[in-house]
Amino acid sequence: MKVVHLCYLPIPKEHPDYEKVWCHPGRWALNLAIAQRAHTGIEPELIVQIPGAARDFESVIDGIPVHFVAAPDRLRSATFFYFDTRRIAARALALRPDLVHAHGTEDCYALAALHTGRPSVITAQGLFFLINAVVPPRRFSRESIVEMTERSALRRARHVIAKSTYVAEALQRQFPHLALHRIPNTFDARLAEIRGEKEPRLLVFIGSLVRRKGLDLLADALAEVQRTLPDVRLWVFGDQPGAPSAYETQMKTRLRALMEERVIFHGTVPARDVAHALARATALAAPSREEMFGNQLIEALVVGTHGIVTDGTALAENVRRFGNGTIVPQEDAPALAAAISGALVRGEFPERDSARERVFAAMGPEVVARQHEALYREVLGGA
C-alpha cells in the first residue's frame, strides 16, 4: 500500500535553502512514516511544500523519501491556496499513491488531498475555527481566510483523524457528517533512549512564540516565582530570531528584563537536541490558551520530565490520561506560578516511569502505525 503524506517537516542541512526560509519545525508526520515503514506493509512518501524556496529538492530522511516542493511566498491565502492546491495535488498524483494523507487544514494540504480525487484521510491539527474563537483575528487576515478554506475542506471531507477528545468533540459539533477516528500522534522511538541528569530550577518552554501558546502568562508567573526562587531558569525553544513577530519581540524583551542571563532563547533546533535539553529540565511549562494535542508534553513524558499545562486543552487531557503532570486553570498566572514553584522545589517525580509506560502503550510507534494501517484499509475498502 503506497501512502503519500502531505505534511510539514524541517528542511535538512543539505537543502539549498537551509536557514534561508522559514519552515515548520514539527516532524510528527515523519515519525509516523518511519513507524509505518518499520511495522506495517505501508510504503510512505512525504511531500512538503516550502514557500519561498528557490527550487524543488529530493531527499531521503531516516529511510523515508521526501519531496520538498518550492512555492511562491506571496498571496497564498489571498488566492485561497488555489495554486498551492493544484501544485501539491499534481505532485501527489505523480507518485501514484493508493491513498493520500493530509496533515492539517491550516494550509493547502487538506484541499490538495481532496483535489487529487484519490482516497484520502485528513489529520485535524491547527484547526482555525477553534483557534480563532480563542484568539480572534482581524476581519481581513490570513487567519480568517484560512478558517474559510478549512471549513470548505472539512465540509467535503469524509475520514478525519482527531488526535484528542477535545478535537473530536469540536469537529462533531461543527461537521456531524465526518467519520472521526481517534488516533494520537506518535513520537520518535529514539527518544526512549534519552535520559538526562536533572538540573535544579530549570524550566523549559517549547513552541511558537504566539499568544495562543501563553508565553505572556508564563512571564507573569515567573515574575512571582523568582521572588522566592531567584535562581529559576528558563530555556525557550521555537523562537524565530531571523523573522520575529511583534509578540515574539515583546516577550523576549520582557523576559530578558525579568530574568537577564537566566533565560536563553535557543531558536528552532533539531528535535533530538530539544529532547536532550528537555530531559535535563525539572519541568516543561506549556500554558497554552488552546492546544489540540501537545507533542511537547508527550515528548516530555517520554524523557521523564514533569509537565505543567493549562486546563481546557488536549494537554490537560493527556496529563489526566498519563500522569506526571500538573494542570492549572486558564488565564491564571498565580496558579501557574504556584505549580511551577511546587515542581521546582519538589524536583523528583516517582510517577515518571509509570507515565512513560502508559504513553508507550497508548501511542508508541508500532501501536499508532497499525492503527493508521487499519484506517487506511477501511477507507480503501469503502472506496
Side-chain angles (χ1 to χ4, degrees):
M1 181 196 312
K2 187 168 187 178
V3 175
V4 171
H5 295 272
L6 313 181
C7 60
Y8 299 111
L9 186 68
I11 57 178
K13 290 183 178 180
E14 59 269 22
H15 192 290
D17 291 294
Y18 180 70
E19 292 189 333
K20 296 178 183 177
V21 297
W22 182 86
C23 60
H24 197 287
R27 56 167 280 150
W28 50 85
L30 178 61
N31 292 337
L32 172 60
I34 292 168
Q36 290 174 337
R37 184 172 181 270
H39 300 293
T40 72
I42 295 169
E43 299 174 28
E45 295 194 36
L46 272 56
I47 292 178
V48 182
Q49 180 165 265
I50 307 294
R55 65 178 179 87
D56 294 349
F57 185 76
E58 304 292 320
S59 185
V60 177
I61 302 176
D62 292 337
I64 306 300
V66 182
H67 311 271
F68 292 96
V69 180
D73 195 21
R74 297 184 61 211
L75 302 176
R76 296 177 58 240
S77 62
T79 59
F80 298 93
F81 303 107
Y82 177 90
F83 299 103
D84 293 309
T85 296
R86 282 146 184 81
R87 179 186 306 110
I88 296 302
R91 291 298 297 268
L93 287 171
L95 297 176
R96 303 177 65 84
D98 296 299
L99 182 142
V100 180
H101 186 159
H103 295 261
T105 58
E106 66 271 51
D107 206 288
C108 67
Y109 292 144
L111 295 167
L114 294 167
H115 192 72
T116 66
R118 302 296 300 155
S120 63
V121 170
I122 297 171
T123 289
Q125 63 190 41
L127 291 169
F128 270 76
F129 77 86
L130 289 176
I131 294 171
N132 289 348
V134 175
V135 185
R138 300 187 314 275
R139 184 173 182 181
F140 298 106
S141 63
R142 186 184 195 279
E143 292 81 3
S144 60
I145 292 172
V146 168
E147 182 175 346
M148 293 170 60
T149 59
E150 173 182 272
R151 289 183 180 278
S152 174
L154 290 172
R155 280 194 294 267
R156 292 184 285 137
R158 176 57 179 160
H159 293 279
V160 173
I161 294 172
K163 301 178 182 182
S164 62
T165 299
Y166 163 68
V167 169
E169 290 177 347
L171 286 169
Q172 189 63 59
R173 288 193 300 270
Q174 291 281 328
F175 305 96
H177 71 282
L178 291 175
L180 297 174
H181 309 272
R182 283 292 313 280
I183 306 177
N185 282 343
T186 192
F187 47 85
D188 186 340
R190 294 172 296 182
L191 297 188
E193 304 164 4
I194 295 175
R195 295 291 184 274
E197 188 70 28
K198 295 296 183 185
E199 298 190 20
R201 308 290 200 263
L202 176 59
L203 197 66
V204 166
F205 173 94
I206 301 170
S208 304
L209 270 60
V210 295
R211 187 172 181 275
R212 178 170 66 92
K213 297 288 185 177
L215 189 59
D216 54 300
L217 291 171
L218 181 57
D220 291 342
L222 287 171
E224 180 63 30
V225 170
Q226 68 178 19
R227 296 178 189 275
T228 54
L229 299 175
D231 56 344
V232 59
R233 293 180 294 146
L234 175 66
W235 288 354
V236 176
F237 295 88
D239 56 304
Q240 300 287 331
S245 66
Y247 178 88
E248 176 172 324
T249 299
Q250 177 189 1
M251 287 299 101
K252 285 183 170 180
T253 300
R254 182 179 176 191
L255 283 166
R256 283 171 175 150
L258 179 69
M259 304 184 72
E260 299 178 339
E261 73 282 355
R262 289 177 291 110
V263 60
I264 299 176
F265 296 92
H266 293 266
T268 301
V269 302
R272 282 177 61 80
D273 293 347
V274 176
H276 278 283
L278 186 55
R280 293 162 57 188
T282 301
L284 167 80
S288 297
R289 292 180 166 92
E290 196 286 324
E291 194 82 55
M292 296 177 199
F293 182 72
N295 296 285
Q296 71 273 45
L297 171 66
I298 298 304
E299 292 174 2
L301 298 181
V302 170
V303 300
T305 297
H306 189 80
I308 301 170
V309 307
T310 39
D311 211 352
T313 66
L315 291 164
E317 185 178 317
N318 282 327
V319 164
R320 291 188 174 100
R321 185 179 184 187
F322 302 121
N324 196 19
T326 302
I327 301 170
V328 300
Q330 282 281 353
E331 302 292 345
D332 193 335
L336 179 59
I340 291 170
S341 296
L344 295 181
V345 169
R346 181 182 176 190
E348 290 294 328
F349 300 90
E351 64 268 32
R352 69 183 185 180
D353 291 336
S354 59
R356 183 190 296 116
E357 290 171 4
R358 284 190 282 269
V359 168
F360 267 91
M363 57 184 68
E366 182 173 359
V367 173
V368 172
R370 295 197 182 282
Q371 288 176 331
H372 279 87
E373 182 182 38
L375 172 56
Y376 296 163
R377 294 197 183 284
E378 176 185 340
V379 172
L380 291 172

